[in-house]
Amino acid sequence: MSYRILVEPAAGQRLRTFSSHVVQRLGRLLAELADLASIAPPPTLAFASPQADLLRIEVEDVTVWYRIDKREETLTIVEVANGADDHPGAQAG
């Protein structure tokens, strides 16, 4: 069984601003990551943000920061940004 995918509210709002094909590609990729996490979360992933527990993927010009929680069996999308933004929190403020 794969991990559940959760989306924080601000990330969900941001996702709605991107084209449907980009969101669909992100969805497929995140679903694959959730399936892999249920088997064994990769121990060698380099964390890609100042927040040490966040991982990052990129599709076209969109970056998604997410967190995997082994205990809760979830993959949570924390933040979404376009190419002009380069770190979590860039959308805040």
Side-chain angles (χ1 to χ4, degrees):
M1 174 177 235
S2 68
Y3 280 30
R4 291 178 299 133
I5 297 176
L6 306 174
V7 181
E8 292 195 2
Q13 287 180 331
R14 186 73 171 146
L15 281 170
R16 289 183 199 96
T17 68
F18 299 112
S19 67
S20 62
H21 83 275
V22 170
V23 174
Q24 289 172 357
R25 286 186 60 200
L26 285 167
R28 285 191 295 271
L29 184 55
L30 289 164
E32 288 177 24
L33 289 170
D35 285 340
L36 290 173
S38 69
I39 297 168
T44 58
L45 281 176
F47 293 111
S49 79
Q51 297 179 14
D53 63 340
L54 293 183
L55 300 165
R56 180 180 73 196
I57 60 168
E58 296 181 24
V59 170
E60 294 185 23
D61 199 25
V62 177
T63 303
V64 173
W65 286 271
Y66 66 97
R67 171 181 303 119
I68 294 175
D69 185 326
K70 292 187 274 188
R71 196 169 22 111
E72 296 291 325
E73 296 186 350
T74 58
L75 182 154
T76 303
I77 299 170
V78 176
E79 184 153 353
V80 181
N82 65 19
D85 305 315
D86 61 2
H87 59 83
Q91 297 299 314

